[in-house]
Each structure stands twice: as structure tokens, then as C-alpha cells.
Amino acid sequence: MLEELQVSLKMSETPSTTLSVVHLTSSEGQVHSPRHSNVTHPVVAKRISFYKSGDPQFGGVKVVVNPRSFKTFDALLDNLSRKVPLPFGVRNISTPRGRHSITRLEELEDGESYLCSHNRKVLPVDLDKARRRPRPWLSSRSISTHVHLSSAAAVPTTAPGMLRAPRRLVVFRNGDPKTRRVVLLSRRVTQSFEAFLQYLTQVMQCPVAKLYATDGRKVPSLQAVILSSGAVVAAGREPFKPGNYDIQKYLLPAKLPGISHRVHRKGKATLEKRKSGNWKVSVTTSDFPNAGTSSQVYIVLYGQCRSSVPIYLYGRDGARFQDGHEDIFTITVGDIGKPFKIRIGHTNSGYSPSWHCKGIELQNMNSGEKFYIPVQQWLAQEQEDGEICREFPILSKGQPVLPGELWNAGTVANVYLSVYGEKGDTGSRKLSRSKSALMFLRGQIDTFFLEAVNLGNLCKIVIGHDGLGPGNGWFLEDIVIRDPTTNNEYAFFCHRWLDEGEDDGKIVREMYARDNTIFSVRKKLELKIKETWAAESWKFMKGNTLQFYSKLTGGFVRLHPDGTVDAVGEQTDRYGLFDVIFNKGNLCIFQSHEMRHLSLALDNGGAAGMASGGALTELRVLYQPNRCALLESALCPGHTLVVDRHGKVADESSAGYAELSKEFLVFVKGVFLNSAVVILATSLCQALCLQSDGTCTGAGNQSEQSHWRVHRVSSGICMFESVKNARMYLRIKDGHCNGTGTGDTDCHFKIKRNLENASISLESLKSPGLFVGLQPDGQAKPVIYTKDENVCFYPRVIQFGRENPMGMSATPSQGEDKMHLSKHQKETLLESKARHPSPLSSEKESRHSHSTETLLSEGEWKVLVVTGDTGTQANVTLWVYGDEGVTGPISLTKDSPEQLFLPGQKDEFQVVLSSIGEIYKIRIGHDGTSGQPEWSLQRVTMEHMKSKKTLNFVANVWLSRNQADGDIVCELPVMKEGGPVFPLVRYHVDVYTGQLKQAGTESEVSLCLYGERGDSGLRLLHRSNMPVRFQRGQIDAFQIEAVSLGNLQKVLLHCEASDKAQYWYCEKVIVKDPGTASESIFTCERWIPFMSQGSMHSEIELYCQEMQINHPPKIQEEANDGDWKVTVVTGDLENAGTTATVSLCVYGEARCSGPIILGSGKHHLFNPNSADIFKINLKDIGEISKIHIGHDNGGEDPGWYVEEVTLENMATRERFLLTVDSWISDRENDGQYTWKEVPIIRSHRGPLLGIM
């Protein structure tokens, strides 16, 4: 039987770029108010409402104006600037229609409303609409509730703004999940966060001072409570205690964070079901033990138009994502266009969060179109690579995905193909008749038909060309073969050159069919994202200054002084610049270039400015194949920065997903500075380069030949000189574009920045309208600008120029003192990270005023610092501790040019402290920078500006790394009646480094002690009793002097290792208080840094043994039915460890456990001469007969020598010791297998045969 096979070949192409134009419309509300007169009647107190110009969503602020509260009109403007979010503060107040400006307090009328703006231009606001703005708690109602309310709008039942449907909240007692209460978030109990805590104190019948989410994250405000997942853990002064805080049966159908639309189980009919954008989601959990999860699962759909926000999947019966079960949900995401990928993940909460997902099926309930995604992977911290969030491509039948973008990828040679199947092959066939007029062009899909006897299931192909003709090199993306008789589709993934001058020089390749097309597409997606990050990662180097551009809004992301964030900034807006102050892989901290105390942060789905270094400011950069970046919270995976078409940050209160965007193009400031060396990339791996004959091509490699030195002629005008061939310049002359210029005006180019794709175009200054362009074969030529890819170049900086605008380092060796964090600044960042201050409070705490014109507040203090006989030029920082809280860090600097901290000098500062109660100690120190880092501190005096109360702190200490105790930070207690209120204690700290191979480190290690009375601050462990610190098997003794902390509760260890060779294995920390002779033991037994939730963490909290929180790989003593402890011992041979992922399979009389993934050697498991302990569940497996242990042969060095494996039943203490003493490697022994079968030997029966 003859059949005809359809063969589609896809060459590398450039993805088309479309420009979306958004037309914005606005309406101005008319508000009738009486005309204001210059003559006003005296009023003792005026109650006035102020609204924001042009923003009907701003609900207004009410202010009481009287002669005591505001003596001048400027004082009122300053007060409103802190309450009304405007870019430059409130500088103008006008009547509601904007016709009359208010310039004096006497012109304000009692009971009236006014508009605030930052300039003379005022946009009217519909005040009735602004007054009806819903409260935050109303925004969390389900979409069905909104539909019901809108349908009943004709019959108003309650006054505007009243809480019509109080939300239920489950409150657990910290450490005791069985003690819980359900409360209603009514207006009566949510007047303020402090009032709500007092209310919970009465309800829980225990002191409540702090709230946590069920996964341990702190809930710092009332807004966070209202927008939480529906459950909180109430705690006193003690830290969070993990537990099984299961909320589903108490709360459903509540709303989870990140959802604007409710998610229902199958069968729940709603009005939204009839609209477009409704999808049925079927999630199948794998059918083997412990594959299910107790965590909250979410999904994100990505379409060609936009993507959805994280949508949490949950049902009404509480039983979901169980072993072998299929869970079906219906979700509403709006019109996202044709979907191309999904993101699936969970919150890692509950008693058993690990999850193995088998597959996901999506069905568009409007069109009926179906998509299937075979997942077949773990989403678990302790399995495989530790990821709890993954992305997968969506592929419909015959859909090409992720084209390449290589120039000169086509070929004119003759192409031949052989197809192999179960029943033979087709022989070599020349592909000559395509549906396209010209074959094998760049970015083109050619379709051919081959007639052959039925080959059965296809297994491989051989494709190549004869190498004839000019430009015969060929870059082949992939081949798809369709069998019309069976409708089977076979994918052959290539993504390589068939070129004697590229890659490995081969022009014939053999490719094997994948099990399904999804596998090929997933591999292409992963490869594309990896290549994109490799090309764009230079932008996130520490010290760079960035801008984030949204194509949806046409504006740049801005961080305002009040901590608000939007995406409507102009290119020159000073609030739209961000400095990269921390970078580790794709984990970054973006600090405002204008306001160094604020950084971009993500919390509860929203964005704000927060104190630099807090956990919420750590953002993960996720690049997409279209060169756009997503900014995702490192603390809450799945939560990204999302803006609507108006540029406002979209959060849980967003009414729908229409016209949202989370993709941003990233621009670097200072790229084309004078003498800079750049690459003008034309694709992810190609660049514009100068050839030996003087011509230029865009198909060159990104090597030294593609390096161009920038010569800045004037603003926006540059010349480009070849670095490899000096005095040869890029030019356009006489209709040709080449590199034979001499530096005259033919070589002058105007740089045009393309906001649509973060590229630039080069326009000839002498021949306006002509740009440097590329032909399909990559050769450069002058072209007219058409917004096509052939005029787009993606600059990459190899070396920055001499100038240093926007705070960017000119070279890696310059600007270090400005852009790179010092050791003490790292301590400051980590200190604030542990406390998560709000952006406004941090700004207020750090501010020190030098003006006494305003009225004195309760928190204003005068600080007098007396220097001894040695001064310092380093940066000095202060922390103040009270019995109700702490304020700091406070930078002791002045705006005046006078020099501070000179020998014998008294320096006076004014600081503002928050409500911290009775002060009992301070911490003061410097960062060890500048030419004079040593400092002799004599004393510190604090005087309350209002009550004149004085606190004395006697120091007489030497703060220097080189002298005394080596400390640059000291703590001082308050002196009363000639003695300290709390004594100074010199804690003895013993740090035990483990015995594992390469357990030692040369990295700096810091430690912070926590007790009943606060903390010691993060201290660098600098002066040890050993000559070399933190060596393998060594005990290092340190001393930390601090005001008595009372009973110690925990310690925080920090190790910032630059590479894997400097990772540190800490066994334990023992802290001794010589005054009480007490000893506190803090067990660690793990590597630092370590992997958690898919990211590396350089610090860990260790709890005292009586309250120890177990971390993998420690095994809890409480054992469930079927729990076994598995100990795997790696041999003490050279290179005995493995980088692969290890799995175990246990065989019993009743059944087999299936593959159980123990972990990966990439995460510091299975090192030479080490024992790794795991807990697995083998319930109902019967009597064990044998095991299989092996690995996936992954990583750089997968070979593994296993010494022995021990299995111990944690309930019955039955124990089996299995001796392996063998290499498991494809390069050792017989080199055939990467697994080993070991029998169980019992005394009453003979051993089973071992099979390799």
C-alpha cells in the first residue's frame, strides 16, 4: 500500500513584531459647588476633604484644619504630600472644578472638598464617584457577587461604602492548629491594625502581637489581612511555628490571593460561563504514593494578547489533587488570545506539599478547542531540581512554535531526506517541489509530499544537502512529518547548522522521533529561554541603571517618593531609574536611583517601594522568548508585577483580567558613552561584524570581530570603530554600508531607540532616512526604516565608557564605593530584611531633620555623638531599641559640607523615632569604608525634643577591624542611677563546621542572635581562635558583645558564597552565656547557601533544640504508617560523588513503590564520603525483597560510587543494611547501566539474584 507523507521543514526566522496602539479616553465629572469668596468667617476647626487631581479611584483624605495643627499653608501642603500620592508632592490646592487656586488657610471652607495637584494644571474629578470608591475588603468579593450587585443596582439596599458582605477569616493559634476561631472582618473590628490585634487577643484568649500567613510569611498590615488567603496565624512575641494549618474546610468558598475571578468545580453554572475566555481545566495527579499535595495549586495562562494573573484552583469538597485523581475546574481569564504556554505551581503549604503532576488538559468552553500538556514532573522542594513552579508550552496540532532568528540561515543547495520506519525506509529523496516558490529561505516553512510504501511507525530521518552553490550553509529548526492515513504526527527537533563552516562542520544530520510533539516543543522553549537569558543577562550586572518599559501603557515603571508604583513615566522621568544593587543569577534588587532608601518590591500581588534589602525586594527576572522580562517575587513564586492599560499596578482588587500586562522591556542607561565597547547583536547569537574585505555582515559570531568602540560626537550622535581593525569605521556612502570609513561625516550615525523591542537603529546623519540594514543573507546595506527586524540591533556593553551618568560604573574597577554594598551595608540590608518595614515607615525612621520650624512631634530626638581621640570618615549608622519595637538603621549624616566625627568633636543630629516605647539600648557602628575606618567612640546622648528627657550611653570603645576585639559595631545600654538597665553580655559562640568533603569556606560568615529582648544585629564572625576560619571539621570560637537578650530563641546564619566551591556546611552553633552558665544549641546540618522554592538562599534561621524546626535532610522522629528512613552512603574515592538526580525503587511482595526521587547532586547531596538521609513512605508494599537505585546520568559529572544503603522502618525499627560497593556510571565497570539492583538478605531465606 502506498501512502503520501507530508513533510514540513522549518528554517530559522525572525518573529514578527506588532505595535499595539491603545487609544485612551477620559471623562471629566462636573461637580457643582458654591463659589469661594476671599472673605471667610472664623472657624475654630474646619473638616475638609482633599481628592487627587484626575484620579476618581482615589477615595480622598479628610483633614481637620485649625490654628494648632497647621500654622502655615506650606505646613498643610507638606502634610498632604504624605497622604496624597503625587509625583512631586502636593504643590497646588484648587476648587473641585479647578477654576480657583487656594493660597491661604483662611480660604478653606468647613465641610467642602478640594483637589490636590503637583502643578498648576488641574484635572477635574467626579467627586460622587470618588466618594463611592469601595473599601479594600469589598474588592475581594467573588465575581458572582459583583454580578448580583450590579443587577440589583436599581434597588439600593445599603449606603455607599458600607460593608455589605463581611468576609470570614480563620485564625489559628501559633503552633497549635487545633485551636482556631472564625471571625468576620466587619467595619467594627477593622478600624485599624492595632484595634484588630486587640480584638483577636479577646477572641483567641491569648496575647496577639503579630500575624503570619499559614506558610510563615509575616502579615504586616490590615490591608494584608483583608487580601490574605483567608487564614492567619496569631502569635505573641514568639516567632512563627509551622503546623498543619488546613483552612479549606473552614473557609470555602473564600477567595485566595491573586484571583479576581472565582474558580468553581465542574458543574457550577454561572453567568460568566456564557462569555468568552471561559476554560475547563482538568488536572491529573500521578498514581503513585505521596504524589498528591496538601498545598494550594495555581495556574497562569499565557496568550498572544496577554496573560492571566495566578488563578488558584480549589473545590468545595476539600479533597483535591489526590493520588491518581483528576480534578476539573472552570476558570474565567478574559480574552487572552491563542494560548502558547502555561505556568503551574503551588504555595508549598500544608503537611505534605510535594506534588507529582501527570498532565493538564485545557478546553476552551466557547470554541471547544482542546490542548493537552503532559507534565510528568515533580513540583517539590525535595524532589528533582527543587522547583515548585514550572512552565510548559501549549501546542495544537501542526502549530509551529518559537522560530529562531538567525541571519543567512537559508540555503541554495540541494536538500535530500531519508525517512525510516518499522517496515523499512524511503531511501534518499531530493526535496524539490515545495509549496513555496523559493525553497529554504530564512524563516520559511517548506512543505513537501513523499510517496512510499507504508513504513509503519516512524523512528528516525536523515537529512542533508550537497554543499553546492554560494551560501549553501543551512540552519534547520525542525521537521514535522504527518502520516495522512493514521493522522500521526512525528517531530524531529534539530536547531543546528548544516554548514561546513559553522557548528561541528557537518552537512548531514540524523534525528530520532520524539514520543510526542510536546517534548520537542518543550525542549525548544527551554532552549529559547536559555539563549534569551544568555543574551540579556548582562543588563542585570550589579551597578547598572535600568528602565522598565511597558508596551501596553507606552510608559516606564516609576517608583514615587510615597512608595507607589505605576507604569506611565516618560523616558526622562527621574523616578523611572533603578540601580541594580544586588545580583545573583536572575535574582536582583532594584533600588530607586533617585531615592536610595527605597527599592521595588512585590507583596500580595501588588507593588510598592520598600526598604532596600527586605525579602520582598528580591525579584526574579524571568525572560520570555520575545525579549520581554517578567519581574517575579522571589519570596512568593507566581506573583509578578502586573499593570493595567492605565499604568496602575493590578492586584487582587482588579475587576477582571482585561488589558493587563506583566511583560517589560529592559533598557540600560549609559550604553553609548564615549570609548565604550559594544556589540550590535542581530540575533541571540549573531552580531554585526567587520569582515576582512571591509564589508559588514549581521551573520557573524559574537566574538572580538563584532566589537565596536563608540566615539560620541554629540548627544545621540556616535561613530563606531572596529576594535579588531583600528581606524576602520562603520559608514554609509554611495549606496553602500561597510566598515571602510575614516571617521568623517559619512561615519556619523543618529541612534534611534525602538521602544517596541528594546533595540536601536542607526540612521545616517549625512543621508537622513537611510539606516544600516541587513539583507536575508546577513550582508549590510543602506535601507529605508520600515520597523522591520532588518534595521534592529540589540546593543550589549562589553566595556562601559569613561563618563559615569546615572550612577553606572564606568568599568568594573571604578565606582565601587558608590555602587557596591559594603559589608556593613549588607548587615543593614539583612537587618531590615528580618523586619519587613513598610516604605513609609522606613523613610520616616531614616530621616533626620535639620529644621525646627515645624511643630515638635512625640518621636523627635536630638542625638549627640562624642568622638574620642581618633575620628573616622566611614558611614555611621544607629539603631534604637525600645520595649515595643526598634527603629533603624538611621544614617547619621548631614546635608552641610562640614566634616563629621573628627577627633574630640561633638556631632549633633535630629532623628524621628516611631512608637518604640521605653528605650533600653542602642546599637551604633560604621561600615569600615573610606581611608580612615577606625573610630574611637566616647559617648552618645539622646535628648527628647519635647519633654527634654535625656538618656546617656557611655561607650569608651574602639571600633576597628584591626584593633581591640575587631568589632565595628557596639551595643550600649541606657544608664539609670549609675548603672545599666540591662547588663552587657559577651556571648561565647562556637561554630562547628562539618566533616564532609569541601565543607569549609573562605567566604564571610555573619551571625545574629535573637532573644526575649530583641536581637544583636547581624555581626561578621571576624576574629576566631583559629588561624584560618571555618575549615573542615573545625570548631571556631567567637565572642559577640550585646546588651543581654534574655533567653535565646534562635540564631540567623548568613554566608554569601560567590561560587559552589565556597559553599559552607555548618553542623551546629553553640552559644554560651557566661553570666548564667547557660548553653543553647542550634543544630544546622546543612549547606549554606541552600536551595529552597527554586532559588538559592544565603541565610538560614536556626531554633534552639527545644523548639527546633526540622529542615531536610533531617528526619522527624514522628513516623506515619509506612515511613522508612533511607541512608545512602557515598564512597570515599576520588570523584565518587555525583551531579545527577538519584532515584530509588523498592520492590515488595504486594507491589513496587515506583521511582522515588531522592534528590540531586547539584544541591550538595551525594558528596564523596558522606551519608544522606531521607524519609520515604512504603505503605502497603508488603515484605521488601529488593531495591533499585540509580540516577539519570545528568549533570557534568554523573558517575557515582555507592558504598551502602540502609533502610529502617521508623515504626518497628526493622533495619536492612545493603552493601553496594560499586560504581553506578556509564563510564565504569561494564559501562552499560546507570542503576544497580540489590537484593534484601534475610536469615530465613537465600538471597535473590542480583541483576545488573
Side-chain angles (χ1 to χ4, degrees):
M1 173 184 176
L2 289 175
E3 65 177 15
E4 198 172 62
L5 299 177
Q6 181 179 349
V7 183
S8 296
L9 288 83
K10 185 169 181 57
M11 274 63 68
S12 176
E13 69 173 1
T14 303
S16 60
T17 302
T18 59
L19 176 63
S20 300
V21 180
V22 180
H23 300 279
L24 302 180
T25 60
S26 62
S27 60
E28 298 185 0
Q30 300 293 327
V31 179
H32 300 281
S33 62
R35 183 182 299 273
H36 287 251
S37 173
N38 288 332
V39 180
T40 59
H41 297 284
V43 180
V44 176
K46 305 174 185 178
R47 292 171 174 82
I48 302 172
S49 298
F50 293 94
Y51 295 86
K52 181 180 175 183
S53 170
D55 187 1
Q57 299 299 319
F58 183 73
V61 294
K62 293 183 179 180
V63 178
V64 177
V65 179
N66 58 48
R68 289 187 303 170
S69 59
F70 303 104
K71 289 188 175 182
T72 65
F73 187 70
D74 288 339
L76 175 63
L77 294 179
D78 292 340
N79 182 272
L80 290 174
S81 296
R82 294 192 291 267
K83 299 178 179 179
V84 181
L86 287 170
F88 304 102
V90 177
R91 293 292 175 264
N92 182 55
I93 299 176
S94 64
T95 54
R97 287 180 143 179
R99 295 180 179 177
H100 302 282
S101 293
I102 306 299
T103 58
R104 296 185 298 124
L105 292 175
E106 291 76 10
E107 297 178 14
L108 298 171
E109 295 187 6
D110 184 32
E112 295 298 332
S113 300
Y114 297 91
L115 295 183
C116 300
S117 62
H118 64 272
N119 53 31
R120 290 291 179 183
K121 185 178 180 181
V122 179
L123 299 177
V125 172
D126 185 348
L127 296 185
D128 291 336
K129 183 178 179 180
R131 291 170 183 142
R132 290 196 301 267
R133 186 177 66 90
R135 298 287 183 251
W137 47 77
L138 293 180
S139 64
S140 62
R141 294 197 307 271
S142 66
I143 189 66
S144 58
T145 307
H146 284 288
V147 173
H148 173 73
L149 292 176
S150 61
S151 64
V155 186
T157 58
T158 58
M162 289 186 61
L163 189 65
R164 288 165 287 190
R167 187 175 172 212
R168 298 169 63 200
L169 182 75
V170 178
V171 183
F172 293 94
R173 178 177 290 179
N174 191 23
D176 184 11
K178 295 182 180 180
T179 302
R180 57 189 176 271
R181 299 289 186 272
V182 179
V183 300
L184 296 180
L185 297 181
S186 63
R187 293 187 62 183
R188 181 179 63 86
V189 300
T190 55
Q191 296 296 323
S192 68
F193 188 55
E194 291 74 17
F196 184 61
L197 293 180
Q198 294 177 3
Y199 172 72
L200 292 183
T201 299
Q202 300 174 0
V203 173
M204 303 301 294
Q205 297 182 356
C206 66
V208 178
K210 294 180 290 186
L211 296 180
Y212 294 93
T214 55
D215 58 358
R217 290 174 294 161
K218 195 171 183 180
V219 180
S221 63
L222 184 61
Q223 181 79 358
V225 173
I226 295 170
L227 300 178
S228 68
S229 62
V232 295
V233 179
R237 297 291 180 184
E238 75 278 5
F240 174 76
K241 300 177 182 178
N244 181 20
Y245 303 109
D246 188 7
I247 68 171
Q248 301 299 328
K249 56 184 177 182
Y250 307 108
L251 210 63
L252 291 174
K255 184 177 183 299
L256 293 172
I259 316 175
S260 296
H261 294 236
R262 289 286 296 276
V263 184
H264 298 279
R265 281 277 185 167
K266 180 181 177 182
K268 177 68 177 178
T270 64
L271 289 174
E272 293 297 321
K273 208 162 187 177
R274 292 190 291 269
K275 297 181 179 180
S276 62
N278 288 272
W279 292 79
K280 183 171 75 171
V281 181
S282 302
V283 183
T284 304
T285 301
S286 299
D287 188 14
F288 53 78
N290 298 323
T293 180
S294 61
S295 187
Q296 299 172 359
V297 176
Y298 63 88
I299 188 173
V300 183
L301 271 64
Y302 291 80
Q304 292 176 341
C305 300
R306 58 179 182 81
S307 61
S308 73
V309 298
I311 303 174
Y312 283 78
L313 307 176
Y314 61 95
R316 298 184 183 279
D317 55 6
R320 71 245 179 266
F321 309 114
Q322 302 301 309
D323 301 352
H325 286 197
E326 179 183 11
D327 298 283
I328 303 176
F329 312 88
T330 58
I331 63 175
T332 301
V333 297
D335 184 14
I336 64 172
K338 193 172 186 64
F340 66 89
K341 75 172 181 177
I342 67 164
R343 175 180 294 172
I344 189 80
H346 60 79
T347 59
N348 203 48
S349 58
Y351 61 93
S352 180
S354 300
W355 182 39
H356 193 281
C357 180
K358 183 178 182 180
I360 301 171
E361 184 176 290
L362 303 175
Q363 180 180 1
N364 189 316
M365 300 183 68
N366 186 38
S367 64
E369 190 175 12
K370 290 185 178 181
F371 305 91
Y372 180 71
I373 300 95
V375 179
Q376 295 289 2
Q377 279 187 278
W378 278 102
L379 285 82
Q381 285 187 357
E382 64 274 10
Q383 302 285 358
E384 295 180 353
D385 55 4
E387 294 287 346
I388 61 173
C389 175
R390 298 187 185 277
E391 289 188 353
F392 300 95
I394 297 176
L395 185 67
S396 59
K397 192 171 184 180
Q399 176 189 359
V401 176
L402 297 182
E405 47 183 36
L406 298 184
W407 294 91
N408 199 27
T411 184
V412 296
N414 298 311
V415 176
Y416 296 86
L417 173 71
S418 295
V419 182
Y420 294 79
E422 295 174 323
K423 302 177 181 179
D425 61 83
T426 62
S428 181
R429 304 286 187 95
K430 180 180 178 180
L431 302 180
S432 57
R433 293 188 178 182
S434 169
K435 289 185 177 181
S436 304
L438 298 175
M439 298 183 296
F440 312 122
L441 296 182
R442 173 178 179 263
Q444 181 171 289
I445 299 177
D446 292 283
T447 303
F448 304 86
F449 290 93
L450 294 180
E451 190 176 76
V453 176
N454 190 311
L455 301 175
N457 292 327
L458 305 185
C459 58
K460 76 170 182 177
I461 64 169
V462 176
I463 190 167
H465 61 81
D466 54 14
L468 300 179
N472 55 70
W474 187 29
F475 187 87
L476 176 62
E477 279 280 358
D478 54 25
I479 299 176
V480 178
I481 299 181
R482 301 177 181 88
D483 187 340
T485 60
T486 61
N487 289 326
N488 287 342
E489 192 173 273
Y490 303 88
F492 302 86
F493 179 56
C494 182
H495 196 72
R496 295 188 69 176
W497 284 98
L498 283 77
D499 189 343
E500 293 177 342
E502 299 282 353
D503 207 338
D504 57 2
K506 294 181 179 180
I507 60 174
V508 177
R509 297 205 179 275
E510 185 177 279
M511 293 172 284
Y512 290 85
R514 303 297 184 184
D515 293 337
N516 52 65
T517 310
I518 294 291
F519 183 91
S520 175
V521 174
R522 182 190 303 167
K523 185 176 180 181
K524 289 165 62 179
L525 175 64
E526 293 173 351
L527 181 62
K528 181 73 173 184
I529 292 176
K530 183 178 180 180
E531 291 176 346
T532 305
W533 172 248
E536 298 285 327
S537 59
W538 71 273
K539 296 181 177 180
F540 302 93
M541 292 172 56
K542 184 177 178 181
N544 284 355
T545 300
L546 309 181
Q547 290 178 296
F548 300 99
Y549 176 77
S550 171
K551 292 195 288 185
L552 177 64
T553 67
F556 291 85
V557 174
R558 299 184 297 181
L559 174 55
H560 297 288
D562 60 358
T564 58
V565 177
D566 62 36
V568 292
E570 298 293 334
Q571 185 173 333
T572 57
D573 197 317
R574 59 184 178 139
Y575 294 122
L577 299 177
F578 297 89
D579 296 333
V580 182
I581 65 170
F582 173 80
N583 168 259
K584 187 171 184 180
N586 65 342
L587 191 66
C588 300
I589 296 179
F590 302 109
Q591 182 185 77
S592 171
H593 183 74
E594 183 70 17
M595 301 160 294
R596 300 302 174 93
H597 63 284
L598 291 182
S599 292
L600 192 62
L602 294 179
D603 186 18
N604 290 326
M610 294 190 179
S612 300
L616 297 175
T617 63
E618 294 183 0
L619 304 182
R620 194 173 301 283
V621 181
L622 304 176
Y623 256 94
Q624 306 301 298
N626 59 356
R627 288 184 184 263
C628 289
L630 275 61
L631 301 181
E632 180 187 63
S633 169
L635 187 64
C636 308
H639 289 278
T640 57
L641 177 60
V642 183
V643 296
D644 60 21
R645 58 187 289 265
H646 302 292
K648 294 184 178 181
V649 175
D651 53 16
E652 288 81 0
S653 61
S654 300
Y657 301 137
E659 299 184 7
L660 299 181
S661 176
K662 60 179 68 176
E663 294 183 342
F664 300 93
L665 291 162
V666 182
F667 293 88
V668 181
K669 298 293 289 185
V671 171
F672 296 103
L673 300 180
N674 197 45
S675 297
V677 178
V678 300
I679 286 177
L680 300 175
T682 56
S683 70
L684 295 178
C685 58
Q686 294 175 310
L688 183 70
C689 68
L690 179 64
Q691 301 186 107
S692 57
D693 59 357
T695 61
C696 293
T697 176
N701 295 324
Q702 293 182 1
S703 60
E704 189 179 358
Q705 287 186 331
S706 61
H707 290 185
W708 299 90
R709 188 175 305 280
V710 178
H711 296 273
R712 189 171 181 178
V713 180
S714 61
S715 178
I717 309 297
C718 296
M719 296 190 298
F720 297 91
E721 178 190 11
S722 172
V723 173
K724 185 82 177 286
N725 302 282
R727 295 184 296 278
M728 295 188 70
Y729 292 80
L730 182 68
R731 75 171 184 180
I732 290 181
K733 184 178 181 180
D734 300 330
H736 297 283
C737 179
N738 52 44
T740 59
T742 59
D744 55 8
T745 55
D746 292 325
C747 307
H748 292 187
F749 291 95
K750 182 180 180 181
I751 298 175
K752 173 181 172 58
R753 192 155 72 157
N754 303 312
L755 298 179
E756 295 83 4
N757 57 5
S759 68
I760 58 110
S761 298
L762 303 178
E763 181 183 11
S764 172
L765 192 65
K766 190 173 183 180
S767 304
L770 287 184
F771 289 77
V772 177
L774 299 178
Q775 301 182 83
D777 61 357
Q779 290 299 312
K781 72 169 185 177
V783 298
I784 298 175
Y785 184 75
T786 59
K787 292 187 178 181
D788 291 333
E789 282 286 313
N790 66 330
V791 297
C792 293
F793 299 92
Y794 300 89
R796 176 182 177 184
V797 178
I798 302 301
Q799 176 183 329
F800 282 100
R802 285 194 297 266
E803 298 178 29
N804 194 23
M806 307 304 178
M808 181 180 299
S809 300
T811 65
S813 62
Q814 299 177 14
E816 292 287 328
D817 57 336
K818 294 183 179 180
M819 295 306 303
H820 293 184
L821 294 178
S822 66
K823 301 171 186 176
H824 184 71
Q825 287 172 323
K826 289 181 180 179
E827 295 175 7
T828 300
L829 292 179
L830 292 163
E831 177 96 4
S832 61
K833 179 177 179 180
R835 305 186 184 283
H836 302 289
S838 67
L840 295 180
S841 64
S842 295
E843 181 179 5
K844 186 184 299 181
E845 291 165 7
S846 301
R847 185 186 301 120
H848 47 88
S849 172
H850 305 288
S851 174
T852 57
E853 295 178 2
T854 57
L855 291 177
L856 298 176
S857 67
E858 291 293 336
E860 292 190 24
W861 289 74
K862 181 170 67 175
V863 178
L864 182 68
V865 180
V866 181
T867 301
D869 55 3
T870 303
T872 183
Q873 299 174 6
N875 301 311
V876 177
T877 309
L878 173 72
W879 289 263
V880 183
Y881 283 76
D883 55 11
E884 295 182 8
V886 60
T887 295
I890 305 171
S891 180
L892 299 182
T893 59
K894 290 187 177 181
D895 296 331
S896 59
E898 63 181 291
Q899 191 169 351
L900 302 175
F901 311 114
L902 295 176
Q905 181 171 293
K906 298 180 180 180
D907 296 287
E908 185 176 300
F909 308 90
Q910 291 184 13
V911 301
V912 179
L913 307 181
S914 59
S915 301
I916 61 175
E918 189 74 16
I919 298 175
Y920 65 88
K921 77 170 181 177
I922 65 170
R923 184 185 312 122
I924 189 170
H926 62 83
D927 58 3
T929 59
S930 79
Q932 183 63 35
E934 300 178 345
W935 188 28
S936 174
L937 176 63
Q938 187 172 335
R939 73 173 187 272
V940 179
T941 303
M942 296 181 62
E943 180 182 351
H944 192 260
M945 299 287 288
K946 191 172 183 180
S947 66
K948 302 303 180 181
K949 177 182 178 180
T950 302
L951 301 177
N952 294 311
F953 302 88
V954 179
N956 294 323
V957 294
W958 188 276
L959 302 180
S960 170
R961 288 284 187 218
N962 303 320
Q963 300 186 28
D965 295 330
D967 289 330
I968 59 174
V969 177
C970 69
E971 289 199 352
L972 306 174
V974 170
M975 304 298 292
K976 283 187 178 181
E977 299 178 357
V981 292
F982 295 112
L984 274 174
V985 176
R986 186 170 290 273
Y987 292 95
H988 296 263
V989 179
D990 293 335
V991 181
Y992 290 70
T993 301
Q995 295 282 354
L996 302 182
K997 190 174 181 180
Q998 296 182 340
T1001 183
E1002 296 178 359
S1003 301
E1004 293 183 343
V1005 176
S1006 303
L1007 179 138
C1008 179
L1009 302 176
Y1010 291 84
E1012 295 174 319
R1013 289 190 288 271
D1015 58 83
S1016 67
L1018 198 65
R1019 307 288 187 93
L1020 180 66
L1021 299 181
H1022 175 68
R1023 185 154 294 185
S1024 170
N1025 63 322
M1026 307 298 290
V1028 182
R1029 294 168 295 174
F1030 310 118
Q1031 297 301 297
R1032 176 184 175 185
Q1034 182 172 290
I1035 303 175
D1036 291 272
F1038 303 90
Q1039 294 186 11
I1040 294 179
E1041 187 176 66
V1043 174
S1044 176
L1045 300 171
N1047 292 328
L1048 296 182
Q1049 298 172 341
K1050 66 177 180 179
V1051 301
L1052 183 142
L1053 274 178
H1054 177 85
C1055 177
E1056 191 73 51
S1058 57
D1059 55 66
K1060 186 175 180 181
Q1062 292 301 318
Y1063 285 13
W1064 176 48
Y1065 188 88
C1066 177
E1067 186 175 307
K1068 62 183 175 181
V1069 176
I1070 298 179
V1071 183
K1072 302 173 184 176
D1073 184 344
T1076 62
S1078 63
E1079 182 178 280
S1080 301
I1081 302 176
F1082 303 88
T1083 305
C1084 182
E1085 294 184 2
R1086 70 183 307 165
W1087 291 91
I1088 308 175
F1090 62 95
M1091 175 71 73
S1092 177
Q1093 296 189 5
S1095 61
M1096 296 301 296
H1097 296 264
S1098 57
E1099 63 182 31
I1100 183 174
E1101 290 184 348
L1102 308 176
Y1103 291 84
C1104 205
Q1105 275 196 341
E1106 58 265 21
M1107 59 177 68
Q1108 175 70 40
I1109 300 176
N1110 287 318
H1111 295 282
K1114 291 188 66 62
I1115 302 299
Q1116 300 178 6
E1117 293 301 327
E1118 297 79 7
N1120 299 318
D1121 185 22
D1123 281 353
W1124 287 70
K1125 183 167 71 173
V1126 179
T1127 304
V1128 181
V1129 179
T1130 303
D1132 190 14
L1133 302 178
E1134 186 178 0
N1135 298 324
T1138 180
T1139 59
T1141 299
V1142 173
S1143 59
L1144 173 72
C1145 191
V1146 183
Y1147 292 81
E1149 290 182 336
R1151 62 181 182 86
C1152 171
S1153 68
I1156 302 172
I1157 297 177
L1158 300 181
S1160 172
K1162 294 184 295 184
H1163 301 149
H1164 269 301
L1165 297 173
F1166 314 114
N1167 290 310
N1169 192 29
S1170 66
D1172 298 288
I1173 304 174
F1174 310 90
K1175 186 175 76 172
I1176 64 175
N1177 189 274
L1178 303 176
K1179 185 178 180 181
D1180 300 330
I1181 197 174
E1183 192 174 74
I1184 299 175
S1185 59
K1186 66 179 179 178
I1187 66 167
H1188 275 187
I1189 188 166
H1191 56 79
D1192 62 357
N1193 207 39
E1196 298 179 354
D1197 190 12
W1200 185 31
Y1201 188 87
V1202 186
E1203 190 171 299
E1204 63 184 30
V1205 178
T1206 303
L1207 279 73
E1208 181 180 351
N1209 191 313
M1210 299 181 66
T1212 65
R1213 299 302 176 186
E1214 183 181 17
R1215 189 169 181 270
F1216 300 108
L1217 177 61
L1218 310 179
T1219 302
V1220 182
D1221 280 334
S1222 174
W1223 282 97
I1224 302 180
S1225 171
D1226 60 357
R1227 298 192 299 269
E1228 304 287 346
N1229 293 342
D1230 53 11
Q1232 297 182 16
Y1233 300 101
T1234 56
W1235 55 269
K1236 175 81 172 180
E1237 183 175 286
V1238 185
I1240 299 291
I1241 301 177
R1242 289 185 171 86
S1243 58
H1244 60 280
R1245 63 175 67 178
L1248 298 175
L1249 290 177
I1251 302 175
M1252 279 294 296

